Amino acid sequence: MFKPRKKVVASLGVAMIAGTAGLVAGAPAAYAGSVNPDLVCTEPILNWNKTGKQTFDATLTPDTGSAPGTVKIKIDAGENPLRPDYDFENIGFIGKYTFTLSTGGEVTVVAPEFTANIGPNTGINPPEFTADLAIPQAAPGTKIDLTLKTFALDVNVPDLPPPTTTATCEVTGSNGVIASYTVANAPQEPTLTSTPGQVKPGGALTVAGTNWPAGTPTVELCDASGNACDATKVTGALTVTDGALAGTATIGAAVADGSYQLKVTVGGKSKTSNVTVKADVPSNPRKLTLNPTHGPVGTEVTVNGEGYTPDASVYVVPTNAAQQPDVPGLVVAKAGADGKFTAKVKVNKADTTLIAASEDTAGTLSAGAPFTVDGNPPAGTLKQDLTGTIAGGALTISQENGGIKLSDVTLNGTEQNMTGALNTVTVKDYRGGATGWTLTGAVTDFSNNAGGTIPAEKFSWTPKLTPGEGSPSQAVAGSAGPIGKTGATLASAPNADVTGGTFQADAGLSLAVPAYQAPGNYSATLTLSIS
């Protein structure tokens, strides 16, 4: 129960106390943890006006970490200078501490309610407490300073609705930074490449990467979705030196054809790279001989085959030049344990040019032998079968020049951009098949001989791609934005039924130069790679 020690004449019949502390612009105090600002305190109902000092201590735990995030703040405020003219007992107080942030905006912390007495010789002395403090989004490396802006006490008088009143203490001087939080630099993620993109069982991959932690790498072969990883399907001879991953990984000889992901793990970091395993296709062992090799329509032909899968069913059928089978004339034979069979078929059509025998209805596991229908072609005509092999070419990149000169800038107190253009990169995809490609770039930090640096993340590009005439791949330029050490895509072509062609990749370049960057001649290395 609220009990004034002396009778007080006021509209509410009671007196209430509260206080706030405001921010005054000026040089921040050197010690970030405790401030003792000058205050001018007022209360709106009884119109008290008091001046004085109050000490505020604050501790952040932790004081370094991610952003956004939440930390613990411990606040211990000293005795407030505000005093009423009479003594009051058992008053409830709720403290509210508002801080401005050096990165912009402000944040408020509310303390638990406490009960205290107040009078001409007794000020409010809030108890120490700990609460959650929200840290806003900020870039890695940013230091966020907290400066006390307001300290408010809502006053709860017994038997009256809360809060009964709130008073304010304004800072007039001697203020400064009370606590600081440093946003930790985000660790750079490892990168991983494996070339070539397709190997046969037992084949070796060249493995490389950057930003890896120290340790012994392990390798696994996972399915196309990155699951079912198996260390027995691949062996690796990999090392990490100063963050650079290098070495080879050998696919197991018994690995089946298909799409996989090569997974490399060092310490707690893992990355995967797409790998296609495809065995060499052997030459077709299947062969046919016919007896006879010509005759009129209605001729019965004995077909002898060899090199077929033992015990397999074999479909034997006359076929015309357009590879259209005479389905009614089809017979089914069975290969023996030695892969040989004999069958008899009847030539019923005048346009028959071939007898084919296949282990599947699609005709992919097949062989054929020519048959000539007498009179078609005319007697005296000779026939010669022509064969040839087309081998796939290579996937290569080249450039017109190895050096790029960015535009010069003169410092003027503002951030400026050094601009330039990428030397044209020519992509030549002569592999044939259905595999696409990705052209990427990664850049080092810019530096001069005097120790000045500009982070790689300040370097960005706007890619452009021009396909050569007749190029079947639907290649596209990468997205505009920073390149950085982890790399970005300059251009890419997806997997498709038919791929290949030539392409000209270009990009506009821009380096953001900080307003007060150290002068000098800066250089960096942009590395382009294709996979």
Side-chain angles (χ1 to χ4, degrees):
M1 183 69 180
F2 168 63
K3 298 179 179 179
R5 296 179 183 176
K6 295 183 180 181
K7 184 177 180 181
V8 179
V9 178
S11 60
L12 296 178
V14 294
M16 285 66 65
I17 306 298
T20 65
L23 171 69
V24 173
Y31 175 64
S34 180
V35 293
N36 186 27
D38 299 325
L39 305 178
V40 173
C41 302
T42 60
E43 185 280 318
I45 295 179
L46 300 179
N47 296 318
W48 294 326
N49 294 292
K50 300 289 183 179
T51 62
K53 285 180 170 289
Q54 184 175 359
T55 300
F56 298 89
D57 296 336
T59 303
L60 299 182
T61 306
D63 60 4
T64 301
S66 59
T70 301
V71 300
K72 294 294 184 181
I73 183 169
K74 182 171 71 175
I75 299 176
D76 185 10
E79 187 174 351
N80 188 272
L82 192 60
R83 304 286 189 277
D85 294 332
Y86 304 101
D87 291 322
F88 297 92
E89 298 178 346
N90 301 323
I91 304 298
F93 299 99
I94 297 176
K96 296 180 180 180
Y97 301 74
T98 299
F99 303 92
T100 58
L101 306 177
S102 59
T103 53
E106 57 188 46
V107 62
T108 297
V109 177
V110 180
E113 184 175 9
F114 66 94
T115 301
N117 300 331
I118 188 171
N121 300 311
T122 305
I124 304 168
N125 192 349
E128 177 184 290
F129 73 97
T130 299
D132 288 336
L133 177 71
I135 300 297
Q137 176 71 47
T142 301
K143 181 181 179 184
I144 304 176
D145 292 329
L146 281 70
T147 304
L148 185 66
K149 178 182 180 181
T150 61
F151 164 58
L153 283 168
D154 289 344
V155 181
N156 297 323
V157 175
D159 301 328
L160 292 176
T164 310
T165 189
T166 300
T168 303
C169 291
E170 297 288 346
V171 175
T172 59
S174 303
N175 197 20
V177 174
I178 193 171
S180 296
Y181 181 85
T182 301
V183 182
N185 288 319
Q188 293 183 333
E189 283 298 309
T191 64
L192 177 66
T193 60
S194 58
T195 55
Q198 178 174 309
V199 293
K200 62 184 179 181
L205 297 165
T206 298
V207 180
T210 59
N211 304 322
W212 286 91
T216 302
T218 61
V219 291
E220 300 172 275
L221 194 64
C222 312
D223 62 22
S225 63
N227 299 313
C229 299
D230 191 341
T232 66
K233 292 184 176 181
V234 60
T235 57
L238 305 177
T239 59
V240 175
T241 304
D242 295 331
L245 176 72
T248 59
T250 303
I251 302 298
V255 173
D257 288 2
S259 297
Y260 297 90
Q261 290 191 25
L262 180 72
K263 182 178 180 180
V264 177
T265 301
V266 183
K269 293 292 186 179
S270 295
K271 282 293 180 180
T272 60
S273 178
N274 294 330
V275 176
T276 298
V277 177
K278 185 172 180 60
D280 291 337
V281 179
S283 59
N284 188 0
R286 300 166 185 83
K287 296 180 181 179
L288 295 183
T289 58
L290 308 181
N291 186 24
T293 58
H294 67 91
V297 172
T299 297
E300 187 177 74
V301 180
T302 299
V303 182
N304 291 296
E306 65 181 79
Y308 285 76
T309 303
D311 301 319
S313 295
V314 182
Y315 305 90
V316 186
V317 64
T319 304
N320 63 17
Q323 298 184 6
Q324 297 170 330
D326 178 20
V327 176
L330 180 146
V331 297
V332 180
K334 190 173 183 64
D338 58 357
K340 298 180 180 180
F341 74 89
T342 298
K344 292 183 180 293
V345 296
K346 188 175 183 180
V347 176
N348 296 313
K349 292 187 176 182
D351 64 349
T352 299
T353 60
L354 184 77
I355 305 295
S358 177
E359 292 182 35
D360 63 341
T361 55
T364 55
L365 305 175
S366 66
F371 181 88
T372 302
V373 176
D374 288 349
N376 182 29
T381 300
L382 299 176
K383 180 180 179 182
Q384 298 185 17
D385 293 329
L386 305 177
T387 62
T389 300
I390 299 176
L395 174 65
T396 63
I397 56 175
S398 61
Q399 61 187 11
E400 297 177 356
N401 198 322
I404 299 173
K405 177 64 173 71
L406 300 178
S407 62
D408 298 331
V409 299
T410 300
L411 297 177
N412 61 8
T414 65
E415 181 177 285
Q416 303 180 73
N417 291 315
M418 301 173 71
T419 60
L422 181 72
N423 292 314
T424 300
V425 177
T426 300
V427 178
K428 296 180 180 179
D429 185 4
Y430 300 147
R431 297 171 296 172
T435 304
W437 50 265
T438 301
L439 177 60
T440 59
V443 69
T444 63
D445 290 336
F446 284 76
S447 62
N448 64 10
N449 293 331
T453 61
I454 301 176
E457 288 70 21
K458 294 287 188 178
F459 191 56
S460 61
W461 63 12
T462 303
K464 181 179 69 173
L465 186 71
T466 304
E469 183 176 355
S471 297
S473 286
Q474 299 299 310
V476 296
S479 301
I483 302 172
K485 295 180 181 178
T486 58
T489 298
L490 177 59
S492 63
N495 295 342
D497 292 338
V498 179
T499 62
T502 60
F503 307 87
Q504 303 290 324
D506 298 283
L509 306 177
S510 179
L511 176 64
V513 179
Y516 296 100
Q517 182 66 33
N521 294 320
Y522 284 80
S523 62
T525 300
L526 173 64
T527 302
L528 300 168
S529 58
I530 193 167
S531 61

